């Protein structure tokens, strides 16, 4: 009996040692994401659900200062390229490409992919809300000490157990809910560079 109790105690201690807090999981996630440098670029899907419009999904490709964003709505496709100085906007319904000077971006918009999800839970009280065989579901509630009063009151972060990569991050803002998902690394220069040859017959409107 003593031997059995000893075995049970060992298993209990081992299991406790394997258990991780939400803070430890997020820290490991950030460490895994930081292994990728800016030269790789990253890809991410964003779903924005607006009450009076519905859900709009976009796929973003970012490499340094360059980016390409693809979106669709009601069967109409939109593609935007930017190199930080110039924007190219394609509208499939009009079959038109509008060229404009790029608007100045905030510093957070131009930071490299190594910053992606870095410090995402700063200013939040976090806890494991649910756990499955493959994922941790972490609830993030804005703390009272958070100086950014415009920050979302709540975020839901899902982290993969096998890789510690973020599976998704969901939150709500005014009249809309936003989910970031399907994050991966590896973008080529061609993927983020506008090429008019890809759109033969499209009207080009230069507004620079």
């Amino acid at each position: 009996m003593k031997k059995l109790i000893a075995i049970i105690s060992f298993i209990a201690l081992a299991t406790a040692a394997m258990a991780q807090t939400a803070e430890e999981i997020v820290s490991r996630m950030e460490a895994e994401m930081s292994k990728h440098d800016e030269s790789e670029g990253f890809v991410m899907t964003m779903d924005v659900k607006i009450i009076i419009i519905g859900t709009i999904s976009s796929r973003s490709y970012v490499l340094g200062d360059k980016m390409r964003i693809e979106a669709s709505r009601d069967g109409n496709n939109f593609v935007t390229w930017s190199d930080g100085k110039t924007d190219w906007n394609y509208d499939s319904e009009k079959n038109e490409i509008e060229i404009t000077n790029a608007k100045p971006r905030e510093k957070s918009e131009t930071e490299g992919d190594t910053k992606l999800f870095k410090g995402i839970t700063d200013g939040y009280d976090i806890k494991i809300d649910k756990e499955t065989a493959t994922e941790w579901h972490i609830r993030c509630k804005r703390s009272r000490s958070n100086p950014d009063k415009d920050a979302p009151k709540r975020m839901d972060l899902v982290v993969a157990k096998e890789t510690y990569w973020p599976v998704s991050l969901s939150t709500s803002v005014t009249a809309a809910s936003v989910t970031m998902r399907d994050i991966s690394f590896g973008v080529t220069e061609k993927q983020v560079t506008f090429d008019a040859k890809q759109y033969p017959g499209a009207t080009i409107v230069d507004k620079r």
Side-chain angles (χ1 to χ4, degrees):
M1 179 60 72
K2 289 183 179 180
K3 189 173 183 179
L4 179 59
I5 292 175
I7 293 173
I8 293 173
S9 298
F10 176 80
I11 294 173
L13 289 171
T15 303
M18 291 172 61
Q20 298 183 75
T21 65
E23 288 80 7
E24 289 170 336
I25 294 167
V26 170
S27 178
R28 177 70 183 275
M29 178 195 75
E30 291 179 348
E32 289 300 318
M33 297 293 281
S34 67
K35 291 179 180 179
H36 300 272
D37 60 41
E38 297 180 8
S39 64
E40 291 181 75
F42 71 91
V43 187
M44 178 177 66
T45 294
M46 182 178 292
D47 300 322
V48 180
K49 186 177 182 180
I50 304 174
I51 296 175
I52 60 175
I53 295 177
T55 300
I56 300 174
S57 293
S58 63
R59 186 74 169 160
S60 301
Y61 301 77
V62 180
L63 181 64
D65 290 333
K66 291 187 175 183
M67 67 173 65
R68 181 177 104 238
I69 302 174
E70 302 174 346
S72 62
R73 179 186 171 195
D74 299 329
N76 191 22
N77 298 319
F78 303 90
V79 187
T80 295
W81 295 261
S82 181
D83 62 5
K85 297 179 180 179
T86 304
D87 290 347
W88 295 262
N89 301 283
Y90 173 70
D91 184 331
S92 67
E93 184 176 27
K94 297 179 181 178
N95 195 25
E96 180 181 281
I97 297 167
E98 183 179 279
I99 307 175
T100 60
N101 290 318
K103 295 179 180 179
R105 301 180 198 166
E106 297 291 335
K107 182 180 179 182
S108 60
E109 294 179 298
T110 58
E111 287 179 331
D113 52 17
T114 57
K115 301 294 184 181
L116 189 65
F117 281 79
K118 179 70 174 178
I120 195 70
T121 60
D122 289 352
Y124 285 83
D125 299 319
I126 64 177
K127 68 175 183 178
I128 299 174
D129 185 53
K130 186 173 71 173
E131 185 174 345
T132 69
T134 58
E135 298 173 341
W136 288 290
H137 293 244
I138 298 174
R139 175 64 51 83
C140 310
K141 184 179 179 182
R142 189 177 69 193
S143 60
R144 292 182 179 180
S145 60
N146 190 332
D148 185 3
K149 300 307 177 184
D150 293 326
K153 291 182 179 180
R154 195 184 88 184
M155 300 189 300
D156 292 294
L157 174 65
V158 180
V159 180
K161 286 185 173 181
E162 183 178 357
T163 61
Y164 283 88
W165 274 34
V167 175
S168 66
L169 177 68
S170 302
T171 189
S172 294
V173 292
T174 305
S177 60
V178 180
T179 298
M180 292 178 282
R181 59 180 175 84
D182 298 337
I183 299 160
S184 62
F185 293 89
V187 175
T188 65
E189 192 75 21
K190 184 177 180 180
Q191 287 178 301
V192 291
T193 301
F194 173 71
D195 183 0
K197 295 178 182 177
Q198 296 179 350
Y199 299 92
T203 301
I204 296 179
V205 180
D206 196 334
K207 294 187 176 181
R208 288 174 292 181

